[in-house]
Amino acid sequence: MRLLETDLLVVGGGAAGLSAAVEAAAAGAKVLVAESDLHIGGQLVKQSHKFFGSRDEYAGTRGFSIANILIGEISEHSSSVEVLKNTTVNGYYPDEGILTATVGEDEYLHIKARKIVMAAGAQERLIAFPNNDLPGVYGAGAVQTLMNVYGVMPGKRILMVGAGNIGLIVSYQLMQAGVKVVGILEAMPRIGGYWVHAAKVRRLGVPIMLHHSIKAALGEKWVTGAVIQKLDDTFCPTGYEEKIDCDAICLAVGLTPTNELLWQAGCEMKYVPQLCGHVPLRDKNMRTSHPDIWVAGDASGIEEASAAMIEGRIAGHAAAVAMGFKSNEAKSNIYWQRLMHLRAGEVGEKVRAGISQVTVDGWEGIH
Amino acid sequence: MEQIRSYESGVLTGERPGAQRPPDALWVSKKNGLVVIECPQRIPCNPCATSCPTGAITPFSDINDHPVVDYEKCTGCGVCIAKCPGLACFVIDRTYSADESIVKVPHEMLPVPDIGDVVDCLGKIGELICKGKIIAVLEPLKDSTRVLHVVVPDAAIDDVRSVRRCSDD
């Protein structure tokens, strides 16, 4: 069995993980990135819309172009960064300090790392309703993968459930791919995503139905329609129902942090609704209660890719410094300021409330 | 399906911070037009301001600021139309003819209309407002976001915010 040894293991080759890898490599560390998908770039590769934020977070640049920028940075450090694709890190054995991973279905690996950045991203939530197992009921991530990675149309008439940023953006991308979006349902009294994303799809004629949810998918062998229902202010059905003609249903009802390895490693975890699940306590450098483990991106709480990239840089830099590589405190401070600016407004309120529950002053005293 | 027309579902209603109408006195005679921004929610985003070549979109002190336009400085160049990730910037030139204006809109759908095409002009909930003629198809940032110049009746300038090819559904 192969044993790989590295200074820093980065679990996840998405926005946060690649940023962490670049930063640690720049400081002089030898880095191994383990990515479960067949390609690196994470969710960025599926994003055809232009990103928000400031120039520092590549605002105005399409997501897949940002992935290419990060991949370019990784290749500039090709002598110190090794990327393993199709590789899932699936176990952490604290006593031996060993992580296990599988490459595809063929190879089983041992990895020994001095430090680890966990940047495994998030998993989609699904909701329960009759027939939600019919072919044609998708999560938004699957729709994006089919459409934007493999060029496969997920359906011809699609009903979107959820008007957060993902539901709104994927609706727009579906329309760009030539799919008719018959409507977007949102249980809340207002859209959850950015107003401008909603305006984009509204002006193309897509109805956004607030106070509405899906009651059932219709069909025998695959989706042929849906029953939707109107909700009152307490989210109870009002009795008003409508049948919708569609051949696919896309669920964009939220994400939850991928945290299994953090649990296994014994990191101190806390359930934080604002961050959409159990997340590890961390200090300002994204270090968890485990002295060798940092966290970044959606795995540390659900937020935007721009924040994930900055968190990755902070974590990668801090992990390298903890191993004795050169510190650049000025840079580290700039990253923190950028993160604070991104979260400063009204839309950052929820994230700020969440982060404040899990941020500790620093583990220096503990370790 | 029930159409809910409300601000909370992404439809602009009235003037709001971040969504102000240019002053008429300047606007009616301004060659090349003035920018109309419809960005009423404070979000962490500033490319409109940082890309504006004349500083007409006032530099933000906080990245969450609403865009504020100094209309004396706006030349109607349309860089912000192509740059804005929210597709929330438009330029409207009211000097085109006695009773027609040019609405300059971002466009990211295929196939791209051609110069001379007559298209359906759509309002804020995708409703058909009028027909319009495409007189320019630009790609200012060479990044696939087109800026279409559409000639519409003067009365339609507050409504028209996108176009659809007439052959589309």
Side-chain angles (χ1 to χ4, degrees):
Chain A
M1 189 183 310
R2 266 207 296 168
L3 169 68
L4 303 179
E5 293 192 59
T6 185
D7 291 328
L8 180 68
L9 170 68
V10 178
V11 180
L18 294 181
S19 303
V22 166
E23 205 66 28
K30 185 182 168 207
V31 183
L32 182 65
V33 178
E35 166 56 51
S36 63
D37 212 329
L38 301 175
H39 48 80
I40 53 174
Q43 303 305 304
L44 287 173
V45 303
K46 309 179 200 171
Q47 309 309 328
S48 53
H49 66 286
K50 293 178 180 175
F51 272 45
F52 289 77
S54 76
R55 204 170 276 167
D56 292 328
E57 293 89 40
Y58 316 106
T61 307
R62 296 185 199 284
F64 64 84
S65 304
I66 299 175
N68 288 336
I69 293 169
L70 289 176
I71 292 166
E73 281 190 74
I74 290 284
S75 42
E76 281 169 28
H77 293 285
S78 57
S79 57
S80 50
V81 180
E82 186 185 354
V83 177
L84 293 178
K85 297 172 192 172
N86 198 16
T87 300
T88 305
V89 178
N90 46 26
Y92 179 66
Y93 296 83
D95 294 346
E96 294 83 10
I98 293 272
L99 293 108
T100 57
T102 46
V103 184
E105 293 179 356
D106 308 320
E107 198 189 351
Y108 187 63
L109 282 180
H110 279 178
I111 301 171
K112 196 162 188 151
R114 293 170 64 198
K115 305 289 178 194
I116 305 165
V117 173
M118 299 287 192
Q123 290 161 40
E124 286 189 275
R125 286 185 177 162
L126 297 174
I127 47 175
F129 52 87
N131 290 331
N132 74 351
D133 58 344
L134 279 177
V137 179
Y138 299 97
V143 163
Q144 283 194 307
T145 302
L146 281 175
M147 181 167 66
N148 296 346
V149 179
Y150 297 111
V152 175
M153 252 173 141
K156 293 199 170 72
R157 291 175 57 83
I158 202 158
L159 174 68
M160 182 66 65
V161 183
N165 272 332
I166 295 178
L168 296 171
I169 289 166
V170 173
S171 293
Y172 185 74
Q173 293 177 358
L174 281 161
M175 299 175 84
Q176 290 180 304
V179 177
K180 169 94 177 164
V181 180
V182 295
I184 302 174
L185 308 182
E186 173 55 57
M188 301 295 284
R190 65 186 57 83
I191 49 164
Y194 289 170
W195 187 92
V196 286
H197 278 316
K200 266 191 228 181
V201 293
R202 294 297 321 252
R203 75 172 80 107
L204 294 171
V206 177
I208 295 180
M209 307 175 75
L210 305 174
H211 289 295
H212 276 75
S213 73
I214 185 162
K215 187 179 185 193
L218 301 174
E220 293 293 323
K221 290 184 171 162
W222 51 78
V223 170
T224 57
V227 178
I228 65 169
Q229 58 186 355
K230 192 159 199 265
L231 307 177
D232 64 19
D233 291 338
T234 61
F235 304 106
C236 293
T238 58
Y240 171 83
E241 291 179 8
E242 196 178 339
K243 204 177 139 188
I244 302 292
D245 178 24
C246 60
D247 63 2
I249 296 165
C250 180
L251 303 178
V253 291
L255 303 169
T256 192
T258 302
N259 53 21
E260 291 86 350
L261 287 169
L262 294 158
W263 280 115
Q264 278 189 37
C267 297
E268 211 174 314
M269 306 287 283
K270 186 172 180 182
Y271 181 77
V272 182
Q274 294 93 335
L275 300 178
C276 308
H278 280 93
V279 295
L281 301 188
R282 80 295 302 262
D283 66 11
K284 279 180 77 171
N285 287 321
M286 303 306 292
R287 192 184 211 165
T288 69
S289 64
H290 188 302
D292 296 330
I293 298 181
W294 280 255
V295 69
D298 276 355
S300 72
I302 304 303
E303 209 179 340
E304 296 295 317
S306 4
M309 287 186 277
I310 307 178
E311 283 183 344
R313 299 215 176 250
I314 292 171
H317 175 259
V321 170
M323 289 185 280
F325 294 101
K326 64 171 187 272
S327 161
N328 185 338
E329 199 146 330
K331 199 159 76 168
S332 195
N333 286 335
I334 289 170
Y335 290 150
W336 252 102
Q337 278 164 19
R338 275 164 49 188
L339 202 48
M340 293 302 102
H341 286 152
L342 278 183
R343 292 172 178 160
E346 287 86 334
V347 293
E349 208 170 353
K350 189 174 132 194
V351 167
R352 290 201 306 276
I355 303 265
S356 68
Q357 297 171 50
V358 286
T359 305
V360 298
D361 266 345
W363 303 105
E364 291 80 5
I366 302 171
H367 307 300
Chain B
M1 230 192 253
E2 184 188 356
Q3 296 266 338
I4 299 170
R5 177 175 193 150
S6 97
Y7 175 75
E8 302 297 353
S9 72
V11 183
L12 189 64
T13 48
E15 280 201 40
R16 292 163 183 271
Q20 280 157 328
R21 210 166 176 270
D24 278 322
L26 184 65
W27 201 6
V28 289
S29 59
K30 184 69 194 285
K31 273 274 169 218
N32 219 29
L34 290 174
V35 69
V36 172
I37 303 183
E38 298 184 349
C39 186
Q41 180 189 33
R42 281 169 52 85
I43 54 173
C45 188
N46 67 10
C48 60
T50 56
S51 69
C52 179
T54 64
I57 302 172
T58 313
F60 292 11
S61 57
D62 173 343
I63 191 174
N64 291 280
D65 283 350
H66 287 298
V68 175
V69 182
D70 178 349
Y71 281 106
E72 296 294 335
K73 291 185 186 166
C74 179
T75 63
C77 71
V79 167
C80 55
I81 304 176
K83 192 74 185 176
C84 171
L87 307 188
C89 298
F90 311 87
V91 168
I92 298 173
D93 178 353
R94 297 171 66 177
T95 68
Y96 182 71
S97 77
D99 52 3
E100 291 167 310
S101 299
I102 304 169
V103 178
K104 305 177 185 179
V105 298
H107 190 81
E108 296 188 327
M109 297 288 160
L110 293 172
V112 178
D114 288 320
I115 293 174
D117 284 359
V118 172
V119 294
D120 289 340
C121 297
L122 308 180
K124 297 184 178 77
I125 55 168
E127 77 280 29
L128 180 65
I129 302 289
C130 60
K131 298 280 181 187
K133 189 175 172 185
I134 304 284
I135 57 164
V137 178
L138 309 176
E139 191 184 352
L141 302 173
K142 302 287 171 244
D143 66 352
S144 299
T145 299
R146 282 7 185 253
V147 173
L148 306 179
H149 294 199
V150 197
V151 176
V152 303
D154 285 339
I157 61 169
D158 289 331
D159 296 318
V160 172
R161 292 297 177 264
S162 77
V163 306
R164 175 179 64 197
R165 284 168 31 112
C166 293
S167 54
D168 302 349
D169 67 31

